Amino acid sequence: MSIKVAISNDIFQCLVRLPPSVQPKVSKFITQFQADPRGSGINYEKIWDARDDKVRSVRIDQAYRGIVLKPEHGDLYMLLWIDKHDDAYEWARRHKINVNPETGTLQVFVAESAPELSGVVSEKVGTIPEMPGAFDELKDKQLLRLGVPDEQIQLVRRVQNEFELDKIENRLPQEAYEGLFMYMAGSRYDEIINERELAAEEVIDTADYNAALQRLSSRGHFVVVEDELELQKMLNAPLEQWRVFLHPMQRKLAEGKKNGAVRVLGGAGTGKTVVAMHRAKWLANNLSGEKKILFTTFTRNLALDIKENLSTICLPKTMERIEVVNLDSWVSQFLRKRNYDYRIIYDNDNEFWKRALDLAPDELGLPDAFYREEWTKVIQPQSIENVEQYKRASRLGRGTRLNRADRVKIWVVFSEYRNLLTANRKKEVDDAYRDAASLIAQESSPLPYSAVIVDESQDMGTQAFRLIRSIVPEGENDIFVVGDGHQRIYGRNKVVLSRCGINIRGRARKLRVNYRTTDEIRRWAVNLLEGFSVDDLDGGNDDNKAYKSLTHGEAPILESFDDAGQQAEFVRKLIQQRQLDGRQLSEICIVARTKRELEKVTRELGSSDINYFHLTRDASDQQKPDFVRLGTMHRVKGLEFDEVVLVSLNKGIVPLDKALHGKGDIVEKRQADLEERALLYVAITRAKRHAVLLSYGEPSEYICA
């Protein structure tokens, strides 16, 4: 039997925390260990009082030790922990490694004895000892099936509320904590089990660690590295664990054959884009033939960021089969090759509207904005070309009622606008999408794609998805869509995928665990959208029920100043303090609603010799470790930083007056308000650990609520 080496994801966290002088030694040891764990240079020592008798220590140098598990049967070695000698031994005394008899997951957890556990669930202000536990209705076997190790069942039984569950989170296996949280948040036990797709009658061999490692739930915590180059890439970027360790639900979505189109929803930080990238990688490596995988998204800069990140998880031959491009660019290239005789315009507040609105009937008293909104929300999505179609069209969701006679009266405006565009050889984006789909249908040879991956799908409209449907034929692995209606920031109309020919019935999933931000930041962000209805991209509603972060930290810091100068000075001092603390400046991003507000901070930074880098629309985030990032709220979408400093959260800027005023009716104004809230939601959830919210003058109503 060949020797196999598995590495815990905890090892990469250990590596980051080690002193810089020790890190090269540890990397060298891990490389040697992975190549031959039985080599003469590996010195094993038994830890007599270890919690698990299969655990051994290995020498890194005089001061540091690694903790390794060697099962009683087989040739599987597992590297679990690295620390100073005494701390490593203490870790071994407290932790146990088992295969859960119900889930089959290989679990590493704190397994202290009952006396030592007393007091773990404490500080119950105002509680009564006789109060029932949160999981009293579950049997022990059900707790096991949720992922709770047998040794921790009594600990879990003492939990009465979410606060107490969070307090023991770092003692539990991740699958156990998530399962318990979902149950406490209102999910039924059978719903949780069904979502995990556990086999009902599978017989688990708790001594077979090799079999346990093959399960998706174990692969979220362990990786078996068989290639030294792959290992070196992991060691060189230990913080970017999304490249290797996927949550079981993420891996289940990213890998394997799908019977048709798949839609994945999830709040900010749940790893939707990560799943999409790994899905593209899996398809490129597993689909036969020479056709490519088209990976598309709404904005150009996000496509650049995705392409850069994909290159870190894919070999060059895999990347050759993945084409990453934003949809507008793809359409422009496609039409140009076919001698398309129109110029695409992206601004619907153009000169042609001004001329067409001269024909608007005065007796109806409709504002100019109403016509542009009607065009965008009704006429373009439904491909309406004449007044008869318009008379029968659905106007569901529009705030101004129109009878058929009124529709006839105002159609002249839309007809004139269309005539002016045609006469000047111009087309709107939706027209270009529609024309591209029509050309695809007419061509005899299929396009060179076997599948389409769509990221940030909430920002795409109906015509975009009809085009996507035409790019690949319906069938296995055809379309993979990820998105979140809570992050819709580009004014797009709600889309119903099934009406675009994309059938996701039985293949709609939702990610609920935020791996990026702390729960304190997540809660602040979610409160921004409280009371607003958000769609699920297929005619239903979505919510943030059971949306949870696994990490905790400080609540967002709010500061207000008299003027922009004071705010900029605060930002400068904050960054200088971070430098003194030894932080890399690339971990910090300064974000504003407008470029003008960013410039007010930029001038202060420039006068202080602080390096800064502006995130632009047409370039990816360049890795400059000693440069602070600056970007607008729109530009930072899809990125993440250790700390986000949101500036100029002032009345009139957040929400932006221009974005709210001049709407055609109250419904459109409320929708614009939701989009502005979503923009702030997107911006603050870029922060992994720290968020600072600044304003000057009169603060925004969004941060005063």
Side-chain angles (χ1 to χ4, degrees):
M1 181 182 293
S2 61
I3 297 174
K4 183 181 295 184
V5 175
I7 300 176
S8 166
N9 61 353
D10 290 333
I11 291 298
F12 299 94
Q13 295 296 333
C14 292
L15 187 59
V16 171
R17 291 193 293 265
L18 293 174
S21 60
V22 179
Q23 290 180 7
K25 298 179 183 178
V26 172
S27 295
K28 181 179 179 181
F29 167 79
I30 294 175
T31 302
Q32 292 175 339
F33 183 76
Q34 185 270 334
D36 183 8
R38 293 177 175 175
S40 58
I42 310 293
N43 301 308
Y44 293 97
E45 296 179 10
K46 186 175 178 61
I47 305 175
W48 297 103
D49 54 350
R51 178 65 58 182
D52 195 310
D53 60 9
K54 299 183 291 296
V55 160
R56 301 289 184 271
S57 75
V58 289
R59 183 186 297 268
I60 306 293
D61 64 9
Q62 288 296 106
Y64 284 85
R65 297 291 185 271
I67 302 299
V68 173
L69 182 134
K70 169 65 170 68
E72 298 169 350
H73 307 287
D75 293 303
L76 173 65
Y77 291 78
M78 286 183 278
L79 183 57
L80 305 172
W81 192 257
I82 293 175
D83 215 328
K84 289 183 178 179
H85 180 283
D86 291 349
D87 293 332
Y89 273 61
E90 179 60 26
W91 186 93
R93 293 185 187 103
R94 299 179 63 235
H95 287 79
K96 193 168 184 178
I97 303 89
N98 269 357
V99 177
N100 186 294
E102 289 294 323
T103 67
T105 305
L106 190 60
Q107 298 179 326
V108 180
F109 57 92
V110 175
E112 296 172 320
S113 60
E116 293 176 277
L117 283 174
S118 61
V120 170
V121 183
S122 60
E123 302 176 19
K124 301 174 183 178
V125 180
T127 61
I128 302 172
E130 290 76 16
M131 285 182 62
F135 309 107
D136 284 354
E137 294 183 2
L138 296 177
K139 299 176 181 178
D140 285 0
K141 185 173 182 178
Q142 291 175 311
L143 289 176
L144 285 169
R145 201 156 175 76
L146 287 177
V148 179
D150 184 66
E151 293 88 341
Q152 292 183 328
I153 285 179
Q154 293 309 310
L155 171 67
V156 168
R157 291 237 175 261
R158 301 212 298 270
V159 172
Q160 296 178 357
N161 52 51
E162 185 178 335
F163 169 78
E164 293 174 355
L165 179 62
D166 285 346
K167 197 166 184 180
I168 64 170
E169 175 187 350
N170 62 351
R171 297 170 178 261
L172 299 168
Q174 182 174 315
E175 68 168 340
Y177 173 77
E178 291 181 15
L180 295 171
F181 168 76
M182 298 297 291
Y183 180 82
M184 190 175 284
S187 296
R188 297 196 316 271
Y189 167 78
D190 61 320
E191 289 177 334
I192 301 170
I193 297 303
N194 289 338
E195 185 171 87
R196 292 181 174 182
E197 298 181 9
L198 296 179
E201 301 296 334
E202 183 180 4
V203 177
I204 304 296
D205 181 355
T206 57
D208 191 345
Y209 283 39
N210 272 297
L213 269 178
Q214 299 305 312
R215 294 186 174 90
L216 293 179
S217 50
S218 299
R219 291 165 66 192
H221 194 80
F222 290 92
V223 60
V224 176
V225 184
E226 300 176 351
D227 184 285
E228 185 176 340
L229 291 177
E230 180 185 2
L231 177 61
Q232 290 305 315
K233 289 178 71 173
M234 294 163 59
L235 295 174
N236 290 335
L239 284 177
E240 299 175 357
Q241 295 189 54
W242 58 266
R243 295 177 177 173
V244 180
F245 298 101
L246 293 181
H247 182 277
M249 175 59 75
Q250 293 176 331
R251 191 172 294 279
K252 190 186 305 179
L253 291 168
E255 298 180 355
K257 184 185 74 173
K258 314 299 180 187
N259 292 327
V262 175
R263 183 217 62 197
V264 180
L265 298 180
T270 54
K272 299 180 298 298
T273 301
V274 171
V275 170
M277 287 191 289
H278 279 272
R279 181 62 181 165
K281 175 184 176 182
W282 189 91
L283 290 171
N285 287 333
N286 290 275
L287 293 189
S288 59
E290 300 298 322
K291 288 192 173 184
K292 291 188 174 185
I293 313 302
L294 176 62
F295 194 125
T296 190
T297 188
F298 184 66
T299 62
R300 185 182 308 170
N301 57 267
L302 188 54
L304 293 170
D305 293 332
I306 289 170
K307 186 173 184 178
E308 186 173 286
N309 284 325
L310 262 174
S311 66
T312 67
I313 66 172
C314 296
L315 295 173
K317 64 179 182 180
T318 303
M319 282 300 297
E320 290 175 3
R321 292 199 64 187
I322 304 175
E323 180 180 339
V324 186
V325 60
N326 73 302
L327 194 60
D328 285 351
S329 296
W330 187 92
V331 169
S332 294
Q333 295 168 13
F334 175 85
L335 293 175
R336 193 181 307 118
K337 291 177 180 178
R338 286 149 181 83
N339 300 316
Y340 193 63
D341 192 25
Y342 291 88
R343 188 169 71 86
I344 303 172
I345 58 174
Y346 298 89
D347 180 13
N348 75 344
D349 186 17
N350 52 59
E351 59 176 307
F352 306 118
W353 267 119
K354 295 179 177 64
R355 291 160 61 182
L357 286 169
D358 289 339
L359 302 180
D362 294 334
E363 64 269 23
L364 295 181
L366 297 172
D368 290 352
F370 167 85
Y371 291 92
R372 286 193 291 272
E373 292 161 4
E374 186 79 356
W375 176 266
T376 302
K377 300 295 179 68
V378 178
I379 294 172
Q380 283 286 50
Q382 298 182 55
S383 303
I384 296 171
E385 297 181 351
N386 56 59
V387 69
E388 291 302 318
Q389 292 175 339
Y390 183 47
K391 284 160 61 176
R392 299 189 300 270
S394 169
R395 299 185 66 254
L396 187 66
R398 297 286 285 136
T400 301
R401 300 187 64 179
L402 294 176
N403 58 37
R404 289 197 172 191
D406 293 336
R407 298 191 197 193
V408 172
K409 291 178 182 178
I410 67 174
W411 177 255
V412 62
V413 175
F414 306 129
S415 179
E416 178 66 7
Y417 177 59
R418 173 69 77 194
N419 290 336
L420 288 169
L421 287 177
T422 302
N424 288 275
R425 313 305 293 170
K426 304 284 176 58
K427 288 287 184 81
E428 286 191 344
V429 177
D430 276 357
D431 298 320
Y433 289 163
R434 193 162 38 239
D435 291 346
S438 178
L439 287 171
I440 291 171
Q442 296 172 21
E443 294 181 352
S444 56
S445 58
L447 294 176
Y449 306 108
S450 57
V452 180
I453 311 289
V454 186
D455 190 30
E456 301 291 357
S457 59
Q458 73 280 348
D459 290 324
M460 295 185 181
T462 298
Q463 296 301 338
F465 276 105
R466 287 177 177 165
L467 169 61
I468 289 167
R469 174 69 284 171
S470 69
I471 291 175
V472 290
E474 187 170 4
E476 290 184 352
N477 307 310
D478 56 348
I479 297 175
F480 192 87
V481 176
V482 302
D484 176 21
H486 299 87
Q487 298 184 66
R488 182 178 288 114
I489 61 176
Y490 288 104
R492 291 292 174 180
N493 213 15
K494 296 177 181 179
V495 169
V496 180
L497 291 175
S498 59
R499 295 178 186 169
C500 301
I502 301 175
N503 176 22
I504 60 168
R505 185 175 301 172
R507 294 180 300 278
R509 298 291 184 267
K510 184 165 184 179
L511 300 171
R512 295 185 174 88
V513 181
N514 183 329
Y515 299 96
R516 180 194 301 138
T517 66
T518 64
D519 207 47
E520 289 72 19
I521 295 173
R522 180 202 62 82
R523 286 199 301 266
W524 198 96
V526 167
N527 286 337
L528 283 168
L529 306 177
E530 188 69 30
F532 286 85
S533 176
V534 176
D535 69 288
D536 69 352
L537 313 182
D538 200 41
N541 291 323
D542 188 22
D543 58 41
N544 278 317
K545 176 185 175 184
Y547 172 39
K548 176 74 172 179
S549 295
L550 296 181
T551 59
H552 290 274
E554 298 176 351
I557 297 171
L558 278 71
E559 297 283 353
S560 185
F561 306 93
D562 292 334
D563 54 49
Q566 291 180 3
Q567 174 184 257
E569 183 182 7
F570 177 89
V571 173
R572 173 181 57 79
K573 290 181 177 178
L574 177 70
I575 294 172
Q576 289 173 335
Q577 182 59 52
R578 297 296 188 257
Q579 286 180 301
L580 292 174
D581 294 339
R583 297 265 297 279
Q584 281 196 339
L585 294 186
S586 60
E587 296 176 348
I588 305 169
C589 187
I590 302 166
V591 183
R593 178 64 177 86
T594 66
K595 292 180 179 179
R596 181 179 179 183
E597 293 301 317
L598 274 182
E599 287 300 324
K600 295 176 182 178
V601 177
T602 301
R603 287 193 291 270
E604 181 73 17
L605 298 183
S607 65
S608 306
D609 295 326
I610 295 175
N611 293 329
Y612 59 85
F613 171 69
H614 278 281
L615 298 167
T616 62
R617 179 188 176 196
D618 299 322
S620 63
D621 178 20
Q622 299 178 24
Q623 299 302 311
K624 297 182 177 181
D626 56 344
F627 281 68
V628 175
R629 270 54 173 164
L630 293 97
T632 64
M633 291 182 179
H634 284 91
R635 175 58 185 93
V636 298
K637 188 171 187 178
L639 302 178
E640 59 181 42
F641 305 91
D642 192 68
E643 182 168 15
V644 168
V645 182
L646 288 155
V647 300
S648 305
L649 301 179
N650 312 336
K651 183 177 181 181
I653 297 177
V654 178
L656 194 65
D657 280 343
K658 182 180 178 181
L660 297 186
H661 293 164
K663 295 300 177 182
D665 54 49
I666 190 64
V667 171
E668 290 299 325
K669 187 171 184 178
R670 180 173 172 80
Q671 182 62 31
D673 180 35
L674 173 58
E675 289 167 11
E676 288 290 296
R677 289 175 178 273
L679 192 55
L680 182 54
Y681 169 90
V682 166
I684 193 172
T685 53
R686 302 307 96 193
K688 293 190 284 187
R689 294 200 295 173
H690 305 287
V692 181
L693 281 60
L694 308 179
S695 64
Y696 64 87
E698 186 174 354
S700 163
E701 64 188 83
Y702 291 173
I703 63 174
C704 292

